[in-house]
Amino acid sequence: MTVLEAGQLAGNVIRLVPLAEEHKLELKNLLHNPLIWEYTWRQISSEEEAGQLVDTALKNQAAGKDMPYVMIEQPSGRIVGTTRLMHLDRTHRNAEIGCTWISPEYWRTAVNTESKLLLLQYAFEVLGLIRVDFSIVSHNLRSQRAIERIGAVREGILRKHRITADGTVMDNVLYSIIDEEWPAVKKNLLYLVNEKYK
């Protein structure tokens, strides 16, 4: 990971750039894709709703609660997704990685894996956090397997944790990585990124 000017985090495949108003239009267009929301508790069906997600992220960023980023593909310079460090608690030195939404054409590439590597490295090695959480809707087995593959520990189920727009109540599965586990997780992530980058 290279920390660039203005809080950017750079890898081989992507750069994570702090979310700004200038990213809103391109991000709205990207997020207005029903495939992204198929296994989430959110249902985004218009560009207006996608824009509201960006506005909320910018508001939480300004309040110091979240650190939202856009994922920019290194070769093309185009935005391919978004992710964030959220619920940042500097007193207890923990945060959650979430709101990771990626254009379907970049699924099963190094993009998501490298974004996790960059954020976790920043969280543990720069911010000095001791715990990072992940919360995944219980029926999203693909995301659960992916987070388990990088070495996160399944801690349990948050029952009736989310309610969708149509009133469906969903459980969330809680995972975490703690500071003692980070060296092994980092080694694994570097291996996975290099495998996908070949």
Side-chain angles (χ1 to χ4, degrees):
M1 171 192 70
T2 304
V3 180
L4 304 175
E5 291 180 14
Q8 296 184 32
L9 309 176
N12 293 319
V13 180
I14 59 165
R15 276 180 300 127
L16 294 182
V17 176
L19 179 66
E21 187 69 35
E22 67 196 55
H23 302 127
K24 186 173 179 179
L25 180 60
E26 191 174 350
L27 204 49
K28 273 190 346 181
N29 292 334
L30 183 147
L31 295 176
H32 183 221
N33 183 329
L35 288 175
I36 292 173
W37 311 106
E38 186 175 5
Y39 294 104
T40 74
W41 60 270
R42 289 180 175 86
Q43 294 302 314
I44 302 303
S45 58
S46 70
E47 285 191 19
E48 181 182 358
E49 289 174 332
Q52 289 169 355
L53 285 180
V54 178
D55 290 339
T56 298
L58 289 168
K59 181 180 174 184
N60 289 343
Q61 179 188 56
K65 296 177 183 177
D66 295 349
M67 299 174 72
Y69 295 90
V70 290
M71 301 170 177
I72 298 181
E73 185 184 35
Q74 291 282 34
S76 69
R78 68 184 282 216
I79 294 174
V80 298
T82 182
T83 190
R84 72 187 74 165
L85 274 173
M86 49 201 280
H87 312 306
L88 185 59
D89 184 339
R90 294 184 188 273
T91 301
H92 299 289
R93 295 168 55 197
N94 62 72
E96 179 180 348
I97 291 177
C99 297
T100 302
W101 306 312
I102 300 169
S103 173
E105 65 186 286
Y106 289 90
W107 291 356
R108 294 186 176 85
T109 69
V111 167
N112 190 33
T113 308
E114 189 168 68
S115 77
K116 295 294 188 288
L117 172 63
L118 293 172
L119 283 181
L120 285 164
Q121 191 169 5
Y122 185 70
F124 287 116
E125 298 179 14
V126 178
L127 297 179
L129 302 187
I130 60 173
R131 173 189 171 89
V132 175
D133 299 338
F134 304 85
S135 178
I136 302 169
V137 172
S138 60
H139 69 274
N140 189 347
L141 299 179
R142 183 180 65 198
S143 290
Q144 289 176 52
R145 298 299 84 83
I147 209 69
E148 289 167 3
R149 192 168 56 250
I150 70 170
V153 174
R154 180 180 168 131
E155 293 189 332
I157 296 176
L158 303 172
R159 298 179 301 162
K160 295 189 173 184
H161 193 238
R162 291 284 183 258
I163 301 175
T164 67
D166 69 4
T168 303
V169 179
M170 295 184 171
D171 298 337
N172 266 7
V173 183
L174 183 65
Y175 291 86
S176 71
I177 297 168
I178 58 174
D179 53 349
E180 293 95 333
E181 298 161 348
W182 168 236
V185 170
K186 180 179 180 180
K187 183 178 179 181
N188 185 39
L189 278 166
L190 286 168
Y191 169 78
L192 291 171
V193 167
N194 288 332
E195 282 296 298
K196 290 183 177 182
Y197 187 58
K198 286 179 181 176

